[in-house]
Amino acid sequence: MKAIIEGGKVPQGTINVSGAKNSATRLLAAACVSDGEVILQNFPTQLVDAKHKIRFLQNIGADIEVDDENETLRIRSGDITSTELDLYDYPIRTTYLLAASQIKRSGSAKIPYPGGCKIGSRGYDLHIMVWEALGCKVTEKPDFILIEGDSFLGGQIKFPISTVGGTENALICASIAQGRTEIINAYITPEVEDLIDFLRRMGSNIEVNGSSNIVVEGVSHLKGTIKSVMYDRIEALTWLVYGVLAKGTLLINNVPFDSMEVPLLHLKKMGIDFLSNSNSIYFSPDCLKNGQVESFELACGAHPGIISDMQSFYTLLGIIAQGDSRIFDYRYPKRIAYADELQKLIDVPVVETEEGKITTRGPGAFIPGEVTSTDLRGSMALVMAALCAPGESIVNDVEMALRGYNNLEGKLAQLGINIEIQE
């Protein structure tokens, strides 16, 4: 799949941030351990990742009604079974979250191997550790991972490193386990907090102690509930950075400020003096204090700082900034391939990469060209650069960006920007 982009147009208008991809797909998996009907509102129904997960759950017996117009899912999961499918080709990372509902209904689970972005080592060993710590046997089959256990049994899960996915998996499994589970070195992000809120609404007993310890008392019955997905902090940042790059005038609604304090503070330090109220951001070219982005240095890390998923957007800002900027990312040091592709859309050599570090020697200007996506957020960075380049560009494998941005074509059209996506 590729995007053909006629760039150089200035975006104008209002854009509404959707429900967070990194919360919605987790809530969908958690909804399937409920014994009642679950309604998820503000759900980004057009995300590629969401569609793959819905397809898998429907194939193993879940009854899921998708309402694109109202961005709502209605989920009934009582008939889920651990059926062996003919095909396990599901290009999503969080397949491990699909195990809990099968264990609850069938005493075994068969899940696809995790797919997703190739940004370095992102093994699934920690998820195997979760299942084994809760009393299950795990076997790696040629086409799927087999998890066996009559039910989960409470235990202690001590992560050697902080892990969002591992914490989410542990929470969902522990909620239906027999007895008490302690999760040590948990990674509690805003999206994990959204998951905890959801599980509590269904009847889970979850106690959070400090910033990294969680105790869960498993329950045998989880009721149905209604939950609205939190807004996407990464998408909100994406549109603000696009406004800066393209010198547009944007009103961005549904901005989750509580989870974006540090990332937005860094933009202020770069001279991007946007206007904000309780849930919206307004940006116009007049918001640049000196008419330009100032150079900067930052390190990606854990929330509440700048997370790795935001890295590529600061790289874009470094390209147009005056002077040298440096972006460090030691959590995912190999997350640099997109930056080498990005250089193909810049008029002069600006981007330098090494593992764990990207240096930009700006300012550079965007030019049209043909590039290939390497990961989700990097793909969106390539799309944004192409949108700013006067002339026609091609972004190959653009489905990676569509994994994280709900109704991307429609939202750009609202800003007067048209892109053509071809299969």
Side-chain angles (χ1 to χ4, degrees), residues 272-327:
I272 304 170
D273 193 21
F274 55 85
L275 304 176
S276 61
N277 59 19
S278 60
N279 68 345
S280 301
I281 285 176
Y282 174 82
F283 176 84
S284 75
D286 294 334
C287 293
L288 285 177
K289 284 185 177 180
N290 298 319
Q292 63 188 34
V293 175
E294 304 297 341
S295 59
F296 58 90
E297 187 169 301
L298 59 83
C300 299
H303 175 78
I306 294 171
I307 60 173
S308 187
D309 276 353
M310 297 176 174
Q311 181 212 108
S312 61
F313 309 120
Y314 290 93
T315 300
L316 287 169
L317 292 172
I319 290 168
I320 66 169
Q322 295 285 338
D324 294 356
S325 298
R326 295 173 183 84
I327 299 136

Coordinates of all heavy atoms in Angstrom, one line a residue, residues 272-327:
I272 N 7.9 27.5 20.2 CA 6.6 27.3 19.6 C 5.5 27.7 20.7 O 5.2 26.9 21.6 CB 6.4 25.8 19.2 CG1 7.5 25.4 18.2 CG2 5.1 25.6 18.6 CD1 7.6 23.9 18.0
D273 N 5.1 28.9 20.6 CA 4.2 29.5 21.6 C 2.7 29.4 21.2 O 2.0 30.3 21.0 CB 4.6 31.0 21.8 CG 3.9 31.6 23.1 OD1 3.6 30.8 24.0 OD2 3.8 32.8 23.1
F274 N 2.3 28.1 21.2 CA 0.9 27.8 20.8 C -0.1 28.3 21.9 O 0.3 28.5 23.1 CB 0.7 26.3 20.6 CG 1.1 25.5 21.7 CD1 0.3 25.2 22.8 CD2 2.4 24.9 21.8 CE1 0.7 24.4 23.9 CE2 2.8 24.1 22.8 CZ 1.9 23.9 23.9
L275 N -1.3 28.5 21.5 CA -2.4 28.9 22.5 C -3.2 27.7 22.9 O -3.4 26.8 22.1 CB -3.3 29.9 21.9 CG -2.6 31.2 21.3 CD1 -3.6 32.1 20.6 CD2 -1.9 31.9 22.4
S276 N -3.6 27.6 24.2 CA -4.4 26.5 24.6 C -5.5 26.9 25.6 O -5.3 27.9 26.3 CB -3.5 25.4 25.2 OG -2.8 26.0 26.4
N277 N -6.6 26.1 25.7 CA -7.5 26.2 26.7 C -7.6 24.8 27.4 O -6.7 24.1 27.4 CB -8.9 26.7 26.2 CG -9.5 25.8 25.1 OD1 -9.1 24.6 25.0 ND2 -10.4 26.3 24.4
S278 N -8.7 24.5 28.0 CA -8.8 23.2 28.8 C -8.7 22.0 27.9 O -8.2 20.9 28.4 CB -10.1 23.2 29.5 OG -11.2 23.2 28.7
N279 N -9.1 22.0 26.6 CA -9.0 20.8 25.9 C -8.6 21.0 24.4 O -8.7 20.1 23.6 CB -10.3 20.0 25.9 CG -11.4 20.7 25.2 OD1 -11.3 21.9 24.9 ND2 -12.5 20.0 24.9
S280 N -8.2 22.2 24.0 CA -7.8 22.5 22.6 C -6.5 23.3 22.6 O -6.1 23.9 23.5 CB -8.9 23.3 22.0 OG -10.2 22.6 22.0
I281 N -5.9 23.1 21.4 CA -4.7 23.9 21.0 C -4.9 24.7 19.7 O -5.5 24.1 18.8 CB -3.5 23.0 20.9 CG1 -2.9 22.5 22.3 CG2 -2.3 23.7 20.1 CD1 -1.8 21.5 22.2
Y282 N -4.5 25.9 19.7 CA -4.6 26.7 18.5 C -3.2 27.1 18.1 O -2.4 27.5 18.9 CB -5.4 28.0 18.7 CG -5.4 28.9 17.5 CD1 -6.2 28.7 16.4 CD2 -4.5 30.0 17.5 CE1 -6.2 29.6 15.3 CE2 -4.5 30.9 16.4 CZ -5.3 30.7 15.3 OH -5.3 31.5 14.2
F283 N -2.9 26.8 16.8 CA -1.6 27.2 16.3 C -1.7 27.9 15.0 O -2.5 27.5 14.1 CB -0.7 26.0 16.1 CG 0.7 26.3 15.5 CD1 1.7 26.8 16.2 CD2 0.8 26.3 14.1 CE1 2.9 27.2 15.7 CE2 2.0 26.7 13.5 CZ 3.1 27.1 14.3
S284 N -0.9 29.0 14.8 CA -0.8 29.7 13.5 C 0.7 30.1 13.4 O 1.4 30.0 14.4 CB -1.7 30.9 13.5 OG -1.1 32.0 14.3
P285 N 1.2 30.5 12.2 CA 2.6 30.9 12.1 C 3.0 32.0 13.1 O 4.2 32.1 13.4 CB 2.7 31.3 10.6 CG 1.6 30.5 9.9 CD 0.5 30.5 10.9
D286 N 2.0 32.8 13.5 CA 2.4 33.9 14.5 C 2.8 33.3 15.8 O 3.3 34.0 16.7 CB 1.2 34.8 14.7 CG 0.8 35.6 13.4 OD1 1.7 35.8 12.6 OD2 -0.4 36.0 13.3
C287 N 2.6 32.0 16.1 CA 2.9 31.4 17.3 C 4.4 31.1 17.4 O 4.9 30.7 18.5 CB 2.1 30.1 17.5 SG 0.3 30.4 17.8
L288 N 5.2 31.2 16.3 CA 6.6 31.0 16.4 C 7.2 32.3 16.9 O 7.2 33.3 16.2 CB 7.2 30.6 15.1 CG 6.9 29.1 14.6 CD1 7.4 28.9 13.2 CD2 7.5 28.2 15.6
K289 N 7.8 32.3 18.1 CA 8.3 33.5 18.7 C 9.3 34.3 17.8 O 9.2 35.5 17.6 CB 9.0 33.2 20.0 CG 8.1 32.9 21.2 CD 8.8 32.6 22.4 CE 7.9 32.4 23.6 NZ 8.7 32.2 24.9
N290 N 10.3 33.6 17.2 CA 11.2 34.3 16.4 C 11.0 34.0 14.9 O 12.0 34.1 14.1 CB 12.7 33.9 16.8 CG 13.0 34.3 18.2 OD1 12.6 35.4 18.6 ND2 13.6 33.5 19.0
G291 N 9.9 33.4 14.6 CA 9.6 33.1 13.2 C 10.3 31.8 12.8 O 10.3 31.4 11.6
Q292 N 10.8 31.0 13.8 CA 11.5 29.8 13.5 C 11.5 28.9 14.7 O 11.3 29.3 15.8 CB 13.0 30.1 13.1 CG 13.8 30.7 14.2 CD 15.2 31.2 13.8 OE1 15.3 31.7 12.7 NE2 16.1 31.1 14.7
V293 N 11.9 27.6 14.5 CA 12.0 26.7 15.6 C 13.5 26.8 16.0 O 14.4 26.8 15.2 CB 11.7 25.3 15.1 CG1 12.0 24.2 16.2 CG2 10.2 25.2 14.7
E294 N 13.7 26.8 17.3 CA 15.0 26.9 17.9 C 15.6 25.5 18.1 O 14.8 24.5 18.4 CB 15.0 27.6 19.2 CG 14.4 29.0 19.1 CD 15.2 30.0 18.2 OE1 16.4 29.7 18.0 OE2 14.6 31.0 17.8
S295 N 16.9 25.3 18.0 CA 17.5 24.0 18.1 C 17.4 23.5 19.6 O 17.1 24.3 20.5 CB 19.0 24.1 17.8 OG 19.7 25.0 18.6
F296 N 17.5 22.2 19.8 CA 17.2 21.6 21.1 C 18.0 20.3 21.3 O 18.6 19.8 20.3 CB 15.7 21.4 21.2 CG 15.2 20.4 20.1 CD1 15.2 19.1 20.3 CD2 14.8 21.0 18.9 CE1 14.7 18.2 19.3 CE2 14.3 20.1 17.9 CZ 14.3 18.7 18.1
E297 N 17.9 19.8 22.5 CA 18.5 18.5 22.8 C 17.5 17.8 23.8 O 17.1 18.5 24.7 CB 19.8 18.6 23.4 CG 20.6 17.3 23.6 CD 22.0 17.5 24.0 OE1 22.8 18.1 23.2 OE2 22.4 17.1 25.1
L298 N 17.2 16.6 23.5 CA 16.3 15.9 24.4 C 16.5 14.4 24.4 O 17.2 13.9 23.5 CB 14.8 16.2 24.1 CG 14.3 15.8 22.7 CD1 13.9 14.4 22.5 CD2 13.1 16.7 22.3
A299 N 16.0 13.7 25.4 CA 16.2 12.2 25.5 C 14.8 11.6 25.6 O 14.0 12.1 26.4 CB 17.1 11.8 26.6
C300 N 14.5 10.6 24.8 CA 13.2 9.9 25.0 C 13.4 8.9 26.1 O 14.4 8.3 26.4 CB 12.9 9.1 23.7 SG 12.8 10.1 22.2
G301 N 12.3 8.7 26.8 CA 12.3 7.8 28.0 C 10.9 7.4 28.4 O 10.0 7.4 27.6
A302 N 10.7 7.2 29.7 CA 9.4 6.8 30.2 C 8.5 8.0 30.4 O 9.0 9.1 30.6 CB 9.6 6.0 31.5
H303 N 7.2 7.7 30.4 CA 6.2 8.8 30.8 C 6.5 9.2 32.2 O 6.9 8.3 33.0 CB 4.8 8.2 30.7 CG 3.7 9.1 31.2 ND1 3.3 10.2 30.4 CD2 3.1 9.2 32.3 CE1 2.4 10.8 31.1 NE2 2.2 10.2 32.3
P304 N 6.4 10.4 32.6 CA 5.8 11.5 31.9 C 6.7 12.3 30.9 O 6.3 13.4 30.5 CB 5.3 12.5 33.0 CG 6.4 12.3 34.0 CD 6.8 10.8 34.0
G305 N 7.8 11.7 30.5 CA 8.7 12.4 29.6 C 8.3 12.2 28.1 O 7.1 11.8 27.9
I306 N 9.2 12.4 27.2 CA 8.9 12.1 25.8 C 9.1 10.7 25.5 O 10.2 10.1 25.6 CB 9.8 13.0 24.9 CG1 9.5 14.5 25.2 CG2 9.7 12.6 23.5 CD1 10.5 15.4 24.5
I307 N 8.0 10.0 25.2 CA 8.1 8.5 24.9 C 8.7 8.3 23.5 O 8.6 9.2 22.6 CB 6.8 7.8 25.1 CG1 5.7 8.4 24.1 CG2 6.3 7.9 26.6 CD1 4.4 7.6 24.2
S308 N 9.2 7.1 23.3 CA 9.8 6.7 22.0 C 8.9 6.9 20.8 O 9.3 7.3 19.7 CB 10.3 5.3 22.1 OG 11.1 5.0 21.0
D309 N 7.6 6.7 21.0 CA 6.6 6.8 19.9 C 6.6 8.3 19.4 O 6.0 8.5 18.4 CB 5.2 6.4 20.4 CG 5.0 4.9 20.3 OD1 5.9 4.2 19.7 OD2 4.0 4.4 20.7
M310 N 7.1 9.2 20.2 CA 7.0 10.6 19.8 C 8.3 11.1 19.2 O 8.4 12.2 18.6 CB 6.8 11.5 21.0 CG 5.4 11.3 21.7 SD 5.3 12.3 23.2 CE 3.5 12.0 23.7
Q311 N 9.3 10.2 19.2 CA 10.7 10.6 18.7 C 10.7 11.2 17.3 O 11.3 12.3 17.1 CB 11.6 9.4 18.8 CG 13.0 9.6 18.4 CD 13.6 8.4 17.7 OE1 13.8 8.4 16.5 NE2 13.9 7.4 18.4
S312 N 10.0 10.6 16.4 CA 10.1 11.0 15.0 C 9.6 12.4 14.8 O 10.1 13.1 13.8 CB 9.4 10.0 14.1 OG 8.0 10.0 14.4
F313 N 8.7 12.9 15.6 CA 8.1 14.2 15.4 C 9.1 15.3 15.8 O 9.1 16.4 15.3 CB 6.7 14.3 16.1 CG 5.8 13.2 15.7 CD1 5.4 12.3 16.7 CD2 5.5 12.9 14.4 CE1 4.6 11.2 16.3 CE2 4.8 11.8 14.0 CZ 4.3 11.0 15.0
Y314 N 9.9 15.0 16.9 CA 10.9 15.9 17.3 C 12.0 15.9 16.2 O 12.7 17.0 16.0 CB 11.4 15.6 18.7 CG 10.4 15.9 19.7 CD1 9.5 14.9 20.1 CD2 10.2 17.2 20.2 CE1 8.5 15.2 21.1 CE2 9.3 17.5 21.2 CZ 8.4 16.5 21.6 OH 7.4 16.8 22.5
T315 N 12.3 14.8 15.6 CA 13.3 14.8 14.5 C 12.8 15.7 13.4 O 13.7 16.5 12.8 CB 13.4 13.4 14.0 OG1 13.9 12.5 15.0 CG2 14.4 13.3 12.8
L316 N 11.6 15.7 13.0 CA 11.0 16.6 12.0 C 11.3 18.1 12.4 O 11.7 18.9 11.6 CB 9.5 16.4 11.8 CG 9.1 15.1 11.1 CD1 7.6 14.9 11.2 CD2 9.5 15.2 9.6
L317 N 11.0 18.4 13.7 CA 11.3 19.8 14.2 C 12.7 20.1 14.1 O 13.1 21.3 13.8 CB 10.7 19.9 15.6 CG 9.2 19.9 15.7 CD1 8.8 19.9 17.2 CD2 8.5 21.0 15.0
G318 N 13.6 19.1 14.4 CA 15.0 19.4 14.3 C 15.5 19.7 12.9 O 16.4 20.5 12.7
I319 N 14.8 19.1 11.9 CA 15.2 19.4 10.5 C 15.0 20.8 10.1 O 15.8 21.4 9.4 CB 14.4 18.4 9.6 CG1 14.9 17.0 9.8 CG2 14.5 18.9 8.1 CD1 13.9 16.0 9.1
I320 N 13.9 21.5 10.6 CA 13.7 22.9 10.2 C 14.2 23.8 11.3 O 14.1 25.1 11.1 CB 12.2 23.1 10.0 CG1 11.4 23.0 11.4 CG2 11.6 22.2 9.0 CD1 10.0 23.5 11.3
A321 N 14.8 23.4 12.4 CA 15.3 24.2 13.4 C 16.6 24.9 13.0 O 17.4 24.3 12.2 CB 15.5 23.5 14.7
Q322 N 16.9 26.0 13.6 CA 18.2 26.7 13.3 C 19.3 26.1 14.2 O 19.2 26.2 15.4 CB 18.0 28.2 13.6 CG 17.1 28.9 12.7 CD 17.6 29.2 11.3 OE1 18.8 29.2 11.2 NE2 16.8 29.4 10.4
G323 N 20.3 25.5 13.6 CA 21.3 24.9 14.4 C 21.2 23.4 14.6 O 20.3 22.7 14.0
D324 N 22.1 22.9 15.4 CA 22.2 21.4 15.6 C 21.3 21.0 16.8 O 21.2 21.7 17.8 CB 23.6 21.0 16.0 CG 24.6 21.2 14.9 OD1 24.2 21.6 13.8 OD2 25.8 21.0 15.1
S325 N 20.5 20.0 16.5 CA 19.6 19.4 17.6 C 20.0 17.9 17.7 O 20.4 17.3 16.8 CB 18.2 19.5 17.2 OG 17.8 20.9 17.0
R326 N 19.8 17.4 18.9 CA 20.1 16.0 19.2 C 19.0 15.3 19.9 O 18.4 15.9 20.9 CB 21.4 15.9 20.0 CG 22.6 16.4 19.3 CD 23.9 16.5 20.2 NE 25.0 17.0 19.4 CZ 25.2 18.3 19.3 NH1 24.4 19.2 19.8 NH2 26.2 18.8 18.6
I327 N 18.6 14.1 19.4 CA 17.5 13.3 20.0 C 18.1 12.0 20.4 O 18.6 11.2 19.6 CB 16.4 13.2 19.1 CG1 15.8 14.5 18.7 CG2 15.3 12.3 19.7 CD1 15.5 14.7 17.3

